[in-house]
């Protein structure tokens, strides 16, 4: 009887069942210990919002248990599971997950929703390491890289360039192996014109007049944004996903802030009252479409007294007959028409929230229930005006500090200290032998190699502020996880760029668009949310440029788990112990330039 039972087990597990069983038993115990302890991990105990979703959490717990079990058994058996993840095919060199129009149509999305981001549709796709193009070159350092990029680093053909508008061809020069962006007086003249239209002497006065953050919708290839950045205005390019000739990809390659997104069927991943100006020049959006819902969304993210700038040859050039549906609807959301010059039209949002409660016929009413702590993530477009009861309702012209001082300065000081500690530790370990990039005369490591930075768990934007304090020529995309405390309004009130995101999903950007990824406490947060750390690091690998850097700070267990994955995807990884006796560790990684 006993021999018969062993024979059956051997058929299931193989003839080496006893040895495997001896390994699997202790591994199972370890899994149970990890799962029981992981529930006590804290991402930000003071800021994390817990949502009781028993069934969803049970399913995540079950999936994570299986994932952890398989990872641990693979490691214990000497089988490096992650080494089985192969490089993607050449067709995925510019792959962006969650954007698959054909699959979205088959799933049933229509009326424009098929162009939206749908991660649930592509959730079952096999993951692989996205490789760079064959002739990929390291981007030139800032500011040279703003004006010259390598042809092979982005996906744009000569035919696409030739078929683009006259403005694009005037500002771009496509050569044999590089694309040059010319400094054009037309962009400066246009910026000066917009400033005069809102009552300023010139565009240098934008900042003093309260215009500090600009959302440039359909930004072309970033020339207007690059000019505004030179005036110290944080300008973020936002454009829809494009398979080739992407505005976002080229802007990021130039070292300019950009993100994939579009006015379509969902609210943008920004809080109420985020931007001082929304700009659209030939952006291709029918603003009077969908019964005005797109203009209501623009109003939602626009601060009181902020400006909506519309430029396009499709608009009439005669006041009174121009874009009458837009003009009519603008009155319904309490916008005042400011000025028109040729093809440029400007409206200003009201500074009086009582306007939406007035008896003026046709005024869009304010939303009844507004909670700023609920993120605008995957939310449908609203048919009411939001933000009118916010404590942050204040005209941009009378900007006052709305920062939660104690919490922000604590985050700022700790980030500044960490920033200095990082570089003092990293420079002799990693950066000292790194070759100079073209265009570097006397580089000071590591900043000569870093321009695009993402803080994946930004809290109050302390790392961003610390970089500015140190006088470094970087910009930071401050990401606030959706289940954490919504601190993004504080980040925008400081004039920084930011976005809400669920790190259980891929980030809406193109491959190889960031020089550095930083996260403090994100790993333990993801473990507590039952999300895959493995998938997170694979996604980080996708959006990180070759020779880019990753700096992770977390508890020992989370860092060790990330280090194991980093080793398997062939990152150079080093764990640094802090000298203050803290149980926190720093994991520093560099992505290789060539990976076979």
């Amino acid at each position: 009887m006993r021999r018969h039972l062993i024979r059956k087990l051997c058929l299931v597990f193989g003839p080496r069942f006893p040895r495997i069983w001896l390994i699997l038993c202790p591994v199972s115990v370890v899994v149970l210990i990890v799962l029981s302890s992981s529930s006590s991990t804290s991402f930000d105990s003071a800021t994390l919002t817990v949502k009781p979703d028993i069934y969803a959490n049970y399913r995540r717990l079950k999936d994570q248990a299986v994932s952890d079990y398989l990872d641990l058994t693979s490691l214990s058996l000497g089988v490096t599971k992650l080494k089985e993840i192969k490089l993607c095919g050449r067709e995925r060199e510019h792959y962006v997950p969650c954007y698959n129009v054909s699959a979205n149509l088959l799933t049933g999305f229509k009326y424009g929703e098929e162009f939206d981001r749908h991660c649930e549709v592509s959730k079952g796709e096999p993951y692989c390491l996205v490789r760079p193009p064959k002739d990929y070159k390291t981007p030139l350092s800032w500011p040279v890289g703003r004006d010259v990029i390598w042809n092979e680093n982005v996906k744009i053909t000569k035919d696409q360039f030739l078929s683009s508008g006259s403005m694009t061809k005037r500002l771009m020069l496509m050569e044999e192996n590089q694309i040059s962006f010319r400094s054009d007086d037309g962009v400066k003249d246009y910026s000066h014109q917009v400033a005069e239209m809102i009552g300023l002497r010139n565009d240098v006065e934008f900042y003093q007049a309260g215009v500090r953050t600009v959302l440039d919708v359909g930004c072309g290839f970033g020339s207007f944004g690059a000019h505004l950045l030179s005036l110290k205005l944080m300008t973020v390019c936002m454009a829809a996903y494009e398979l080739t000739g992407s505005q976002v990809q080229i802007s990021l390659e130039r070292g300019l802030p950009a993100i994939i997104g579009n006015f379509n069927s969902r609210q943008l991943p920004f809080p109420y009252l985020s931007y001082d100006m929304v700009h659209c020049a030939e952006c291709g959006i029918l603003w009077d479409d969908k019964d005005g819902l797109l203009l209501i969304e623009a109003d939602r993210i626009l601060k009181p007294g902020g400006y909506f700038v519309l430029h396009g040859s499709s608009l009439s050039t005669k006041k009174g007959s121009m874009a009458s549906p837009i003009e009519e609807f603008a009155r319904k959301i309490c916008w005042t028409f400011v000025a028109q010059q040729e093809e440029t039209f400007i409206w200003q949002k009201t500074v009086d929230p009582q306007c939406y409660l007035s008896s003026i016929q046709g005024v869009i009413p304010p939303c009844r229930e507004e909670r700023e702590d609920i993120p605008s993530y995957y939310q449908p477009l609203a048919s009411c005006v939001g933000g009118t009861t916010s404590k942050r309702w204040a005209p941009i012209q009378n900007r006052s500090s709305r920062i939660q001082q104690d919490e922000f300065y604590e985050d700022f000081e700790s980030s500044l200290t960490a920033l200095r500690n990082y570089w003092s530790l990293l420079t002799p370990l990693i950066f000292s032998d790194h070759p100079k990039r073209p265009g570097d005369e006397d580089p000071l490591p590591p900043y000569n190699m870093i321009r695009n930075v993402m803080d994946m768990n930004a809290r109050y934007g302390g790392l961003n502020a610390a970089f500015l304090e140190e006088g470094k020529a970087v910009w930071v995309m401050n990401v606030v996880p959706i289940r954490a405390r919504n601190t993004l309004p504080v980040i925008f009130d400081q004039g920084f760029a930011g976005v809400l995101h669920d790190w259980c999903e891929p980030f809406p950007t193109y491959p190889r668009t960031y020089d550095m990824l930083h996260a403090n406490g994100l790993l333990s947060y993801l473990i507590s949310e039952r999300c895959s750390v493995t998938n997170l690091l694979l996604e980080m690998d996708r959006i990180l440029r070759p020779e880019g850097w990753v700096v992770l700070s977390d508890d020992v267990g989370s860092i060790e788990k990330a280090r194991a994955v980093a080793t398997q995807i062939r990152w150079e990884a080093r764990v640094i112990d802090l000298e203050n006796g803290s149980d926190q560790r720093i994991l520093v990684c560099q992505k290789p330039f060539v990976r076979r």
Side-chain angles (χ1 to χ4, degrees), residues 46-58:
T47 63
L48 186 61
T49 303
V50 180
K51 298 181 181 179
D53 191 348
I54 298 174
Y55 297 103
N57 287 339
Y58 171 75

Side-chain angles (χ1 to χ4, degrees), residues 197-199 278 295 299 302-310 319 322 326-340 344-353 355-356 360 363 393 397:
M197 290 174 69
I198 64 175
V278 174
L295 282 174
D299 178 88
L302 200 58
K303 291 181 179 180
Y307 300 97
F308 180 76
V309 181
L310 190 60
K319 177 68 179 76
M322 63 73 153
I326 299 178
E327 185 179 21
E328 179 182 348
F329 200 87
R331 286 195 294 266
K332 295 182 179 180
I333 53 178
C334 294
W335 287 4
T336 302
F337 184 78
V338 176
Q340 173 200 352
T344 304
F345 305 86
I346 301 180
W347 288 267
Q348 185 175 25
K349 179 174 177 174
T350 183
V351 298
D352 181 14
C355 175
Y356 302 103
I360 299 176
V363 169
W393 183 282
Q397 295 79 7

Side-chain angles (χ1 to χ4, degrees), residues 273 303-305 390-400 402:
L273 319 179
K303 291 181 179 180
S390 172
K391 296 179 180 178
R392 298 171 51 247
W393 183 282
I396 63 171
Q397 295 79 7
N398 301 323
R399 186 184 301 269
S400 60
R402 293 179 290 268

Side-chain angles (χ1 to χ4, degrees), residues 469-487:
E469 182 74 12
E470 290 292 291
K472 305 308 174 185
V474 304
W475 70 273
V476 180
M477 179 60 75
N478 296 279
V479 183
V480 175
I482 60 168
R483 296 178 188 85
R485 182 178 179 182
N486 187 9
T487 55

Side-chain angles (χ1 to χ4, degrees), residues 234 236-237 252 256-260 270 275 451-458 463-464 474-480 488 491-492 496-500 503 507-508 514 516-518:
M234 174 48 68
V236 178
C237 161
L252 286 166
L256 306 174
I259 191 171
I260 299 174
F270 310 121
Y275 289 95
R451 170 61 185 173
N452 300 357
V453 177
M454 179 186 291
D455 193 354
M456 302 170 69
N457 180 21
L463 181 70
N464 197 151
V474 304
W475 70 273
V476 180
M477 179 60 75
N478 296 279
V479 183
V480 175
L488 202 52
I491 289 171
F492 274 102
F496 300 160
V499 67
L500 291 163
W503 280 117
F507 190 80
Y514 284 88
M516 176 181 169
L517 304 176
H518 172 270

Side-chain angles (χ1 to χ4, degrees), residues 139 247 317 362 413 489 529 557 570:
Q247 304 167 71
T317 57
E413 290 297 335
E529 288 292 315
R570 301 182 285 287

Side-chain angles (χ1 to χ4, degrees), residues 12-78:
V12 177
F13 295 100
R16 303 183 64 181
F17 158 73
R19 184 177 299 175
I20 295 177
W21 184 255
L22 288 174
I23 295 173
L24 293 184
C25 283
V27 167
S28 301
V29 174
V30 172
V31 171
L32 291 175
I33 294 173
V34 170
L35 290 177
S36 62
S37 62
S38 65
S39 61
S40 62
T41 57
S42 62
F43 162 58
D44 185 350
S45 57
T47 63
L48 186 61
T49 303
V50 180
K51 298 181 181 179
D53 191 348
I54 298 174
Y55 297 103
N57 287 339
Y58 171 75
R59 187 164 186 173
R60 281 190 176 184
L61 177 65
K62 185 177 178 182
D63 292 342
Q64 185 65 26
V66 173
S67 175
D68 288 345
Y69 177 76
L70 292 175
D71 284 347
L72 287 169
T73 53
S74 296
L75 291 172
S76 65
L77 291 172

